[in-house]
Amino acid sequence: MNIFLYEMKAYRKSTLIWTAALVVIIILFMSMFPSISKEIDEFKKLMEGFPEGVRKALGIQVDSIGSLNGYYSYVFLYITLCGAIQAMNLGISISSKEIREKTADFLLTKPVTRTKILSSKILAALTSLLFTNIVYVIAAIIVANVVKVENFSLHVFLLISLTLLFTQLIMFSIGIIISVVFPKVKSVITISLGVVFAFFLIGMVATADETTRYLSPFKYFDYSYIMIHEGYEWSFLILGMFLIVLSLIGSFVIYNKQDIHTV
């Protein structure tokens, strides 16, 4: 039994749906850019009418929103939100699926170690996320070149786009450890939405205090910083990597030691 191929087949439909959803969303958002750029002065006045706290929470940078990358960084917040839900959903499904479907006994009686089982599942999920990101980035670049009204920095555009994968990896790893600690999850999507939106709301509040940015993966990447410095903030990048590694190690340790119940 090839667990990796089995899991890939199981994720195929949801991966295609999530990928298509992200592509459709970016097409819809970016298709509005040419119209907005023509009326940019009026649009900026509208944005300036929002309280500063609201603008920061929504990631609105009035000075740069007239550029393609500035506008993209604004709409990308919602792309990241959708991608985070996909990743969290995959992570929580890793271990809890066998418990819900009562197939854990069947799987664990096969001549394969728990480490290999979990590794195969994680690899399949990561492949699904990678596929989503590759298709999304290609589609985003094509759309950006279609709607652009002037030249833009492709390097910055890619740096912003790649934060989707990094945020997904953090959410995915958190989802895995939730899955092994609480294997009897009855509704994956409910937990996924709850956890992701909790981080999202914390991120919106975190705009008022720099130190609280560390509490939400949604704020590990400051798009204004990326556009100015053409790079990431190392402190948040290292923290994100630390969370991923710590969550994965913890998941393997707990999964190998816990008793697996099917009822």
Side-chain angles (χ1 to χ4, degrees), residues 9-30:
K9 184 178 180 180
Y11 295 143
R12 181 176 56 190
K13 183 178 179 180
S14 64
T15 300
L16 291 175
I17 291 175
W18 279 107
T19 303
L22 292 181
V23 171
V24 169
I25 291 172
I26 194 59
I27 290 174
L28 290 176
F29 272 121
M30 295 303 288

mmCIF file with all atom_site columns, all heavy atoms in Angstrom, residues 9-30:
data_model
loop_
_atom_site.group_PDB
_atom_site.id
_atom_site.type_symbol
_atom_site.label_atom_id
_atom_site.label_alt_id
_atom_site.label_comp_id
_atom_site.label_asym_id
_atom_site.label_entity_id
_atom_site.label_seq_id
_atom_site.pdbx_PDB_ins_code
_atom_site.Cartn_x
_atom_site.Cartn_y
_atom_site.Cartn_z
_atom_site.occupancy
_atom_site.B_iso_or_equiv
_atom_site.pdbx_formal_charge
_atom_site.auth_seq_id
_atom_site.auth_comp_id
_atom_site.auth_asym_id
_atom_site.auth_atom_id
_atom_site.pdbx_PDB_model_num
ATOM 1   N N   . LYS A 1 9  ? -4.391  10.990 -3.908  1.00 0.00 ? 9  LYS A N   1
ATOM 2   C CA  . LYS A 1 9  ? -5.682  10.768 -4.563  1.00 0.00 ? 9  LYS A CA  1
ATOM 3   C C   . LYS A 1 9  ? -6.816  11.339 -3.717  1.00 0.00 ? 9  LYS A C   1
ATOM 4   O O   . LYS A 1 9  ? -7.765  11.924 -4.240  1.00 0.00 ? 9  LYS A O   1
ATOM 5   C CB  . LYS A 1 9  ? -5.899  9.272  -4.792  1.00 0.00 ? 9  LYS A CB  1
ATOM 6   C CG  . LYS A 1 9  ? -7.172  8.945  -5.553  1.00 0.00 ? 9  LYS A CG  1
ATOM 7   C CD  . LYS A 1 9  ? -7.304  7.452  -5.800  1.00 0.00 ? 9  LYS A CD  1
ATOM 8   C CE  . LYS A 1 9  ? -8.590  7.142  -6.561  1.00 0.00 ? 9  LYS A CE  1
ATOM 9   N NZ  . LYS A 1 9  ? -8.731  5.667  -6.800  1.00 0.00 ? 9  LYS A NZ  1
ATOM 10  N N   . ALA A 1 10 ? -6.693  11.185 -2.396  1.00 0.00 ? 10 ALA A N   1
ATOM 11  C CA  . ALA A 1 10 ? -7.724  11.698 -1.488  1.00 0.00 ? 10 ALA A CA  1
ATOM 12  C C   . ALA A 1 10 ? -7.775  13.219 -1.497  1.00 0.00 ? 10 ALA A C   1
ATOM 13  O O   . ALA A 1 10 ? -8.840  13.824 -1.365  1.00 0.00 ? 10 ALA A O   1
ATOM 14  C CB  . ALA A 1 10 ? -7.471  11.185 -0.072  1.00 0.00 ? 10 ALA A CB  1
ATOM 15  N N   . TYR A 1 11 ? -6.601  13.864 -1.673  1.00 0.00 ? 11 TYR A N   1
ATOM 16  C CA  . TYR A 1 11 ? -6.530  15.330 -1.656  1.00 0.00 ? 11 TYR A CA  1
ATOM 17  C C   . TYR A 1 11 ? -6.793  15.958 -3.024  1.00 0.00 ? 11 TYR A C   1
ATOM 18  O O   . TYR A 1 11 ? -6.918  17.183 -3.129  1.00 0.00 ? 11 TYR A O   1
ATOM 19  C CB  . TYR A 1 11 ? -5.144  15.790 -1.181  1.00 0.00 ? 11 TYR A CB  1
ATOM 20  C CG  . TYR A 1 11 ? -4.807  15.424 0.244   1.00 0.00 ? 11 TYR A CG  1
ATOM 21  C CD1 . TYR A 1 11 ? -3.507  15.048 0.592   1.00 0.00 ? 11 TYR A CD1 1
ATOM 22  C CD2 . TYR A 1 11 ? -5.777  15.451 1.232   1.00 0.00 ? 11 TYR A CD2 1
ATOM 23  C CE1 . TYR A 1 11 ? -3.187  14.714 1.897   1.00 0.00 ? 11 TYR A CE1 1
ATOM 24  C CE2 . TYR A 1 11 ? -5.462  15.113 2.535   1.00 0.00 ? 11 TYR A CE2 1
ATOM 25  C CZ  . TYR A 1 11 ? -4.169  14.742 2.869   1.00 0.00 ? 11 TYR A CZ  1
ATOM 26  O OH  . TYR A 1 11 ? -3.853  14.419 4.160   1.00 0.00 ? 11 TYR A OH  1
ATOM 27  N N   . ARG A 1 12 ? -6.845  15.143 -4.052  1.00 0.00 ? 12 ARG A N   1
ATOM 28  C CA  . ARG A 1 12 ? -6.904  15.661 -5.421  1.00 0.00 ? 12 ARG A CA  1
ATOM 29  C C   . ARG A 1 12 ? -8.055  16.628 -5.645  1.00 0.00 ? 12 ARG A C   1
ATOM 30  O O   . ARG A 1 12 ? -7.848  17.742 -6.148  1.00 0.00 ? 12 ARG A O   1
ATOM 31  C CB  . ARG A 1 12 ? -7.001  14.491 -6.413  1.00 0.00 ? 12 ARG A CB  1
ATOM 32  C CG  . ARG A 1 12 ? -7.039  14.905 -7.883  1.00 0.00 ? 12 ARG A CG  1
ATOM 33  C CD  . ARG A 1 12 ? -7.027  13.662 -8.751  1.00 0.00 ? 12 ARG A CD  1
ATOM 34  N NE  . ARG A 1 12 ? -8.145  12.770 -8.403  1.00 0.00 ? 12 ARG A NE  1
ATOM 35  C CZ  . ARG A 1 12 ? -8.272  11.531 -8.872  1.00 0.00 ? 12 ARG A CZ  1
ATOM 36  N NH1 . ARG A 1 12 ? -7.336  11.028 -9.672  1.00 0.00 ? 12 ARG A NH1 1
ATOM 37  N NH2 . ARG A 1 12 ? -9.306  10.783 -8.513  1.00 0.00 ? 12 ARG A NH2 1
ATOM 38  N N   . LYS A 1 13 ? -9.235  16.251 -5.284  1.00 0.00 ? 13 LYS A N   1
ATOM 39  C CA  . LYS A 1 13 ? -10.408 17.083 -5.543  1.00 0.00 ? 13 LYS A CA  1
ATOM 40  C C   . LYS A 1 13 ? -10.339 18.400 -4.783  1.00 0.00 ? 13 LYS A C   1
ATOM 41  O O   . LYS A 1 13 ? -10.556 19.477 -5.360  1.00 0.00 ? 13 LYS A O   1
ATOM 42  C CB  . LYS A 1 13 ? -11.687 16.323 -5.178  1.00 0.00 ? 13 LYS A CB  1
ATOM 43  C CG  . LYS A 1 13 ? -12.962 17.098 -5.480  1.00 0.00 ? 13 LYS A CG  1
ATOM 44  C CD  . LYS A 1 13 ? -14.199 16.275 -5.140  1.00 0.00 ? 13 LYS A CD  1
ATOM 45  C CE  . LYS A 1 13 ? -15.469 17.062 -5.432  1.00 0.00 ? 13 LYS A CE  1
ATOM 46  N NZ  . LYS A 1 13 ? -16.695 16.264 -5.091  1.00 0.00 ? 13 LYS A NZ  1
ATOM 47  N N   . SER A 1 14 ? -10.046 18.326 -3.488  1.00 0.00 ? 14 SER A N   1
ATOM 48  C CA  . SER A 1 14 ? -10.008 19.548 -2.677  1.00 0.00 ? 14 SER A CA  1
ATOM 49  C C   . SER A 1 14 ? -8.882  20.473 -3.129  1.00 0.00 ? 14 SER A C   1
ATOM 50  O O   . SER A 1 14 ? -9.039  21.700 -3.124  1.00 0.00 ? 14 SER A O   1
ATOM 51  C CB  . SER A 1 14 ? -9.834  19.201 -1.193  1.00 0.00 ? 14 SER A CB  1
ATOM 52  O OG  . SER A 1 14 ? -8.590  18.572 -0.964  1.00 0.00 ? 14 SER A OG  1
ATOM 53  N N   . THR A 1 15 ? -7.753  19.878 -3.549  1.00 0.00 ? 15 THR A N   1
ATOM 54  C CA  . THR A 1 15 ? -6.631  20.692 -4.020  1.00 0.00 ? 15 THR A CA  1
ATOM 55  C C   . THR A 1 15 ? -7.014  21.462 -5.274  1.00 0.00 ? 15 THR A C   1
ATOM 56  O O   . THR A 1 15 ? -6.708  22.655 -5.405  1.00 0.00 ? 15 THR A O   1
ATOM 57  C CB  . THR A 1 15 ? -5.404  19.801 -4.313  1.00 0.00 ? 15 THR A CB  1
ATOM 58  O OG1 . THR A 1 15 ? -5.017  19.128 -3.117  1.00 0.00 ? 15 THR A OG1 1
ATOM 59  C CG2 . THR A 1 15 ? -4.242  20.647 -4.806  1.00 0.00 ? 15 THR A CG2 1
ATOM 60  N N   . LEU A 1 16 ? -7.665  20.798 -6.195  1.00 0.00 ? 16 LEU A N   1
ATOM 61  C CA  . LEU A 1 16 ? -8.092  21.462 -7.432  1.00 0.00 ? 16 LEU A CA  1
ATOM 62  C C   . LEU A 1 16 ? -9.110  22.565 -7.150  1.00 0.00 ? 16 LEU A C   1
ATOM 63  O O   . LEU A 1 16 ? -9.071  23.631 -7.767  1.00 0.00 ? 16 LEU A O   1
ATOM 64  C CB  . LEU A 1 16 ? -8.686  20.429 -8.401  1.00 0.00 ? 16 LEU A CB  1
ATOM 65  C CG  . LEU A 1 16 ? -7.696  19.418 -8.991  1.00 0.00 ? 16 LEU A CG  1
ATOM 66  C CD1 . LEU A 1 16 ? -8.444  18.379 -9.839  1.00 0.00 ? 16 LEU A CD1 1
ATOM 67  C CD2 . LEU A 1 16 ? -6.634  20.125 -9.828  1.00 0.00 ? 16 LEU A CD2 1
ATOM 68  N N   . ILE A 1 17 ? -10.012 22.296 -6.206  1.00 0.00 ? 17 ILE A N   1
ATOM 69  C CA  . ILE A 1 17 ? -11.034 23.298 -5.861  1.00 0.00 ? 17 ILE A CA  1
ATOM 70  C C   . ILE A 1 17 ? -10.388 24.533 -5.237  1.00 0.00 ? 17 ILE A C   1
ATOM 71  O O   . ILE A 1 17 ? -10.687 25.674 -5.621  1.00 0.00 ? 17 ILE A O   1
ATOM 72  C CB  . ILE A 1 17 ? -12.081 22.693 -4.905  1.00 0.00 ? 17 ILE A CB  1
ATOM 73  C CG1 . ILE A 1 17 ? -12.928 21.643 -5.639  1.00 0.00 ? 17 ILE A CG1 1
ATOM 74  C CG2 . ILE A 1 17 ? -12.984 23.797 -4.339  1.00 0.00 ? 17 ILE A CG2 1
ATOM 75  C CD1 . ILE A 1 17 ? -13.899 20.904 -4.741  1.00 0.00 ? 17 ILE A CD1 1
ATOM 76  N N   . TRP A 1 18 ? -9.490  24.324 -4.269  1.00 0.00 ? 18 TRP A N   1
ATOM 77  C CA  . TRP A 1 18 ? -8.820  25.450 -3.616  1.00 0.00 ? 18 TRP A CA  1
ATOM 78  C C   . TRP A 1 18 ? -7.952  26.227 -4.594  1.00 0.00 ? 18 TRP A C   1
ATOM 79  O O   . TRP A 1 18 ? -7.918  27.463 -4.577  1.00 0.00 ? 18 TRP A O   1
ATOM 80  C CB  . TRP A 1 18 ? -7.970  24.964 -2.437  1.00 0.00 ? 18 TRP A CB  1
ATOM 81  C CG  . TRP A 1 18 ? -8.744  24.726 -1.184  1.00 0.00 ? 18 TRP A CG  1
ATOM 82  C CD1 . TRP A 1 18 ? -9.074  23.536 -0.630  1.00 0.00 ? 18 TRP A CD1 1
ATOM 83  C CD2 . TRP A 1 18 ? -9.312  25.728 -0.329  1.00 0.00 ? 18 TRP A CD2 1
ATOM 84  N NE1 . TRP A 1 18 ? -9.801  23.714 0.515   1.00 0.00 ? 18 TRP A NE1 1
ATOM 85  C CE2 . TRP A 1 18 ? -9.966  25.054 0.722   1.00 0.00 ? 18 TRP A CE2 1
ATOM 86  C CE3 . TRP A 1 18 ? -9.331  27.115 -0.354  1.00 0.00 ? 18 TRP A CE3 1
ATOM 87  C CZ2 . TRP A 1 18 ? -10.625 25.724 1.752   1.00 0.00 ? 18 TRP A CZ2 1
ATOM 88  C CZ3 . TRP A 1 18 ? -9.989  27.795 0.667   1.00 0.00 ? 18 TRP A CZ3 1
ATOM 89  C CH2 . TRP A 1 18 ? -10.622 27.107 1.700   1.00 0.00 ? 18 TRP A CH2 1
ATOM 90  N N   . THR A 1 19 ? -7.257  25.504 -5.457  1.00 0.00 ? 19 THR A N   1
ATOM 91  C CA  . THR A 1 19 ? -6.403  26.163 -6.451  1.00 0.00 ? 19 THR A CA  1
ATOM 92  C C   . THR A 1 19 ? -7.240  27.019 -7.389  1.00 0.00 ? 19 THR A C   1
ATOM 93  O O   . THR A 1 19 ? -6.892  28.182 -7.665  1.00 0.00 ? 19 THR A O   1
ATOM 94  C CB  . THR A 1 19 ? -5.615  25.117 -7.264  1.00 0.00 ? 19 THR A CB  1
ATOM 95  O OG1 . THR A 1 19 ? -4.848  24.304 -6.380  1.00 0.00 ? 19 THR A OG1 1
ATOM 96  C CG2 . THR A 1 19 ? -4.689  25.795 -8.259  1.00 0.00 ? 19 THR A CG2 1
ATOM 97  N N   . ALA A 1 20 ? -8.323  26.445 -7.873  1.00 0.00 ? 20 ALA A N   1
ATOM 98  C CA  . ALA A 1 20 ? -9.215  27.185 -8.779  1.00 0.00 ? 20 ALA A CA  1
ATOM 99  C C   . ALA A 1 20 ? -9.802  28.404 -8.080  1.00 0.00 ? 20 ALA A C   1
ATOM 100 O O   . ALA A 1 20 ? -9.923  29.483 -8.679  1.00 0.00 ? 20 ALA A O   1
ATOM 101 C CB  . ALA A 1 20 ? -10.337 26.271 -9.280  1.00 0.00 ? 20 ALA A CB  1
ATOM 102 N N   . ALA A 1 21 ? -10.147 28.252 -6.802  1.00 0.00 ? 21 ALA A N   1
ATOM 103 C CA  . ALA A 1 21 ? -10.731 29.365 -6.046  1.00 0.00 ? 21 ALA A CA  1
ATOM 104 C C   . ALA A 1 21 ? -9.740  30.523 -5.929  1.00 0.00 ? 21 ALA A C   1
ATOM 105 O O   . ALA A 1 21 ? -10.110 31.691 -6.123  1.00 0.00 ? 21 ALA A O   1
ATOM 106 C CB  . ALA A 1 21 ? -11.155 28.893 -4.662  1.00 0.00 ? 21 ALA A CB  1
ATOM 107 N N   . LEU A 1 22 ? -8.477  30.212 -5.616  1.00 0.00 ? 22 LEU A N   1
ATOM 108 C CA  . LEU A 1 22 ? -7.471  31.263 -5.485  1.00 0.00 ? 22 LEU A CA  1
ATOM 109 C C   . LEU A 1 22 ? -7.220  31.964 -6.818  1.00 0.00 ? 22 LEU A C   1
ATOM 110 O O   . LEU A 1 22 ? -7.068  33.194 -6.861  1.00 0.00 ? 22 LEU A O   1
ATOM 111 C CB  . LEU A 1 22 ? -6.156  30.673 -4.967  1.00 0.00 ? 22 LEU A CB  1
ATOM 112 C CG  . LEU A 1 22 ? -6.160  30.150 -3.524  1.00 0.00 ? 22 LEU A CG  1
ATOM 113 C CD1 . LEU A 1 22 ? -4.785  29.617 -3.147  1.00 0.00 ? 22 LEU A CD1 1
ATOM 114 C CD2 . LEU A 1 22 ? -6.583  31.239 -2.540  1.00 0.00 ? 22 LEU A CD2 1
ATOM 115 N N   . VAL A 1 23 ? -7.198  31.198 -7.893  1.00 0.00 ? 23 VAL A N   1
ATOM 116 C CA  . VAL A 1 23 ? -6.991  31.791 -9.220  1.00 0.00 ? 23 VAL A CA  1
ATOM 117 C C   . VAL A 1 23 ? -8.155  32.702 -9.594  1.00 0.00 ? 23 VAL A C   1
ATOM 118 O O   . VAL A 1 23 ? -7.961  33.808 -10.095 1.00 0.00 ? 23 VAL A O   1
ATOM 119 C CB  . VAL A 1 23 ? -6.806  30.687 -10.289 1.00 0.00 ? 23 VAL A CB  1
ATOM 120 C CG1 . VAL A 1 23 ? -6.814  31.288 -11.697 1.00 0.00 ? 23 VAL A CG1 1
ATOM 121 C CG2 . VAL A 1 23 ? -5.511  29.927 -10.050 1.00 0.00 ? 23 VAL A CG2 1
ATOM 122 N N   . VAL A 1 24 ? -9.365  32.247 -9.328  1.00 0.00 ? 24 VAL A N   1
ATOM 123 C CA  . VAL A 1 24 ? -10.550 33.061 -9.633  1.00 0.00 ? 24 VAL A CA  1
ATOM 124 C C   . VAL A 1 24 ? -10.544 34.347 -8.817  1.00 0.00 ? 24 VAL A C   1
ATOM 125 O O   . VAL A 1 24 ? -10.848 35.435 -9.330  1.00 0.00 ? 24 VAL A O   1
ATOM 126 C CB  . VAL A 1 24 ? -11.846 32.261 -9.369  1.00 0.00 ? 24 VAL A CB  1
ATOM 127 C CG1 . VAL A 1 24 ? -13.076 33.180 -9.428  1.00 0.00 ? 24 VAL A CG1 1
ATOM 128 C CG2 . VAL A 1 24 ? -11.991 31.139 -10.375 1.00 0.00 ? 24 VAL A CG2 1
ATOM 129 N N   . ILE A 1 25 ? -10.190 34.250 -7.536  1.00 0.00 ? 25 ILE A N   1
ATOM 130 C CA  . ILE A 1 25 ? -10.168 35.430 -6.664  1.00 0.00 ? 25 ILE A CA  1
ATOM 131 C C   . ILE A 1 25 ? -9.161  36.457 -7.157  1.00 0.00 ? 25 ILE A C   1
ATOM 132 O O   . ILE A 1 25 ? -9.468  37.659 -7.233  1.00 0.00 ? 25 ILE A O   1
ATOM 133 C CB  . ILE A 1 25 ? -9.842  35.027 -5.210  1.00 0.00 ? 25 ILE A CB  1
ATOM 134 C CG1 . ILE A 1 25 ? -10.995 34.228 -4.610  1.00 0.00 ? 25 ILE A CG1 1
ATOM 135 C CG2 . ILE A 1 25 ? -9.580  36.270 -4.359  1.00 0.00 ? 25 ILE A CG2 1
ATOM 136 C CD1 . ILE A 1 25 ? -10.689 33.635 -3.251  1.00 0.00 ? 25 ILE A CD1 1
ATOM 137 N N   . ILE A 1 26 ? -7.956  35.995 -7.530  1.00 0.00 ? 26 ILE A N   1
ATOM 138 C CA  . ILE A 1 26 ? -6.942  36.958 -7.974  1.00 0.00 ? 26 ILE A CA  1
ATOM 139 C C   . ILE A 1 26 ? -7.339  37.583 -9.313  1.00 0.00 ? 26 ILE A C   1
ATOM 140 O O   . ILE A 1 26 ? -7.069  38.759 -9.560  1.00 0.00 ? 26 ILE A O   1
ATOM 141 C CB  . ILE A 1 26 ? -5.542  36.302 -8.056  1.00 0.00 ? 26 ILE A CB  1
ATOM 142 C CG1 . ILE A 1 26 ? -4.467  37.381 -8.183  1.00 0.00 ? 26 ILE A CG1 1
ATOM 143 C CG2 . ILE A 1 26 ? -5.455  35.320 -9.206  1.00 0.00 ? 26 ILE A CG2 1
ATOM 144 C CD1 . ILE A 1 26 ? -4.429  38.357 -7.049  1.00 0.00 ? 26 ILE A CD1 1
ATOM 145 N N   . ILE A 1 27 ? -7.990  36.824 -10.162 1.00 0.00 ? 27 ILE A N   1
ATOM 146 C CA  . ILE A 1 27 ? -8.455  37.375 -11.439 1.00 0.00 ? 27 ILE A CA  1
ATOM 147 C C   . ILE A 1 27 ? -9.502  38.461 -11.189 1.00 0.00 ? 27 ILE A C   1
ATOM 148 O O   . ILE A 1 27 ? -9.456  39.547 -11.795 1.00 0.00 ? 27 ILE A O   1
ATOM 149 C CB  . ILE A 1 27 ? -9.032  36.266 -12.344 1.00 0.00 ? 27 ILE A CB  1
ATOM 150 C CG1 . ILE A 1 27 ? -7.903  35.350 -12.836 1.00 0.00 ? 27 ILE A CG1 1
ATOM 151 C CG2 . ILE A 1 27 ? -9.759  36.876 -13.545 1.00 0.00 ? 27 ILE A CG2 1
ATOM 152 C CD1 . ILE A 1 27 ? -8.399  34.151 -13.626 1.00 0.00 ? 27 ILE A CD1 1
ATOM 153 N N   . LEU A 1 28 ? -10.439 38.187 -10.295 1.00 0.00 ? 28 LEU A N   1
ATOM 154 C CA  . LEU A 1 28 ? -11.501 39.151 -10.002 1.00 0.00 ? 28 LEU A CA  1
ATOM 155 C C   . LEU A 1 28 ? -10.926 40.426 -9.391  1.00 0.00 ? 28 LEU A C   1
ATOM 156 O O   . LEU A 1 28 ? -11.284 41.544 -9.793  1.00 0.00 ? 28 LEU A O   1
ATOM 157 C CB  . LEU A 1 28 ? -12.527 38.525 -9.057  1.00 0.00 ? 28 LEU A CB  1
ATOM 158 C CG  . LEU A 1 28 ? -13.408 37.414 -9.636  1.00 0.00 ? 28 LEU A CG  1
ATOM 159 C CD1 . LEU A 1 28 ? -14.298 36.820 -8.557  1.00 0.00 ? 28 LEU A CD1 1
ATOM 160 C CD2 . LEU A 1 28 ? -14.262 37.957 -10.777 1.00 0.00 ? 28 LEU A CD2 1
ATOM 161 N N   . PHE A 1 29 ? -10.035 40.281 -8.426  1.00 0.00 ? 29 PHE A N   1
ATOM 162 C CA  . PHE A 1 29 ? -9.455  41.449 -7.763  1.00 0.00 ? 29 PHE A CA  1
ATOM 163 C C   . PHE A 1 29 ? -8.593  42.266 -8.714  1.00 0.00 ? 29 PHE A C   1
ATOM 164 O O   . PHE A 1 29 ? -8.716  43.491 -8.800  1.00 0.00 ? 29 PHE A O   1
ATOM 165 C CB  . PHE A 1 29 ? -8.608  41.014 -6.559  1.00 0.00 ? 29 PHE A CB  1
ATOM 166 C CG  . PHE A 1 29 ? -9.391  40.896 -5.276  1.00 0.00 ? 29 PHE A CG  1
ATOM 167 C CD1 . PHE A 1 29 ? -9.447  39.691 -4.575  1.00 0.00 ? 29 PHE A CD1 1
ATOM 168 C CD2 . PHE A 1 29 ? -10.061 41.987 -4.748  1.00 0.00 ? 29 PHE A CD2 1
ATOM 169 C CE1 . PHE A 1 29 ? -10.160 39.586 -3.391  1.00 0.00 ? 29 PHE A CE1 1
ATOM 170 C CE2 . PHE A 1 29 ? -10.783 41.891 -3.559  1.00 0.00 ? 29 PHE A CE2 1
ATOM 171 C CZ  . PHE A 1 29 ? -10.831 40.684 -2.893  1.00 0.00 ? 29 PHE A CZ  1
ATOM 172 N N   . MET A 1 30 ? -7.708  41.589 -9.428  1.00 0.00 ? 30 MET A N   1
ATOM 173 C CA  . MET A 1 30 ? -6.766  42.298 -10.291 1.00 0.00 ? 30 MET A CA  1
ATOM 174 C C   . MET A 1 30 ? -7.444  42.899 -11.519 1.00 0.00 ? 30 MET A C   1
ATOM 175 O O   . MET A 1 30 ? -6.936  43.878 -12.084 1.00 0.00 ? 30 MET A O   1
ATOM 176 C CB  . MET A 1 30 ? -5.641  41.361 -10.723 1.00 0.00 ? 30 MET A CB  1
ATOM 177 C CG  . MET A 1 30 ? -4.763  40.879 -9.574  1.00 0.00 ? 30 MET A CG  1
ATOM 178 S SD  . MET A 1 30 ? -3.984  42.221 -8.630  1.00 0.00 ? 30 MET A SD  1
ATOM 179 C CE  . MET A 1 30 ? -2.756  42.782 -9.822  1.00 0.00 ? 30 MET A CE  1
#
